[in-house]
Amino acid sequence: MPERETPTGALDDVDAVTRAVLTASRLLVAVSARSLSAVEERVTLPQFRMLVVLSTRGATKLVALADLLQVAPSTAMRMVDRLIAAGLADRHHNPDNRRETLLQLTEEGRRTVEDVTARRRAEIATIVERLSPTQRLALVEALTAFNEAGGEPLAPRLDDAEPHPLGWAVDFPAARDA
């Protein structure tokens, strides 16, 4: 793939950067949608986000889960009910406080997160392989800065055991003020 020259003034052009990021986000949304295609009859994208949160946090109270997903507790409860009906999550009493209910993934839910994440990683790797080493380095630097500005933690390495939340910053205002 040929190297592109930087257009004059592009380094300070917020609109040019915004357009480039919007274009990249379309590509990444398409990759995300394709990675969910094998499970889309059972899991929507918001439900998958919930599965990912449960996979990284473990057993979680509904209110905390709703807060992490930035949805109302009633919305989170409906999502949980659908995931339980699909066999991807379950609920149980907190052993430390019997009045609390904790939500967690089933083994099938964990496998679903792992499979979708593996498909997404493979498709992104295929795209990245088309870039030259110089372009890859520039992309890593640019996306790292972009993620830091948005408060999004770094995704795990290929050999990391745990998947990572996909694409939403929990504390964006604090990250913006940093």
Side-chain angles (χ1 to χ4, degrees):
M1 179 173 257
E3 300 276 337
R4 292 187 181 170
E5 289 186 30
T6 303
T8 306
L11 297 178
D12 289 331
D13 188 350
V14 171
D15 184 57
V17 174
T18 301
R19 284 192 331 266
V21 171
L22 281 171
T23 302
S25 73
R26 279 196 322 258
L27 172 62
L28 291 171
V29 166
V31 168
S32 295
R34 286 189 295 268
S35 71
L36 279 169
S37 65
V39 295
E40 69 185 345
E41 291 181 13
R42 294 176 54 201
V43 180
T44 64
L45 182 58
Q47 290 167 345
F48 182 72
R49 287 178 55 203
M50 180 177 278
L51 291 175
V52 171
V53 169
L54 288 172
S55 76
T56 58
R57 296 189 52 99
T60 306
K61 294 190 296 185
L62 178 70
V63 174
L65 189 57
D67 189 47
L68 288 166
L69 294 171
Q70 299 174 347
V71 299
S74 60
T75 300
M77 180 57 81
R78 284 190 299 275
M79 292 169 63
V80 165
D81 289 342
R82 289 182 187 116
L83 292 174
I84 290 171
L88 301 172
D90 63 17
R91 59 171 68 94
H92 63 276
H93 290 289
N94 183 345
D96 298 329
N97 182 348
R98 300 285 298 162
R99 291 177 290 166
E100 289 180 352
T101 299
L102 297 175
L103 308 163
Q104 66 184 23
L105 290 183
T106 61
E107 271 309 304
E108 187 175 354
R110 185 163 310 287
R111 275 192 310 276
T112 298
V113 171
E114 290 169 358
D115 292 347
V116 169
T117 301
R119 281 193 297 279
R120 185 171 294 162
R121 181 181 289 278
E123 188 168 347
I124 290 171
T126 298
I127 294 167
V128 170
E129 287 171 350
R130 296 178 191 143
L131 300 174
S132 71
T134 303
Q135 289 171 319
R136 290 177 193 170
L137 178 59
L139 183 60
V140 168
E141 290 172 351
L143 289 177
T144 298
F146 183 78
N147 292 333
E148 287 173 358
E152 187 66 25
L154 190 62
R157 294 183 184 278
L158 183 59
D159 58 354
D160 283 349
E162 293 296 319
H164 190 275
L166 304 174
W168 69 97
V170 174
D171 192 17
F172 180 73
R176 190 176 49 225
D177 296 337

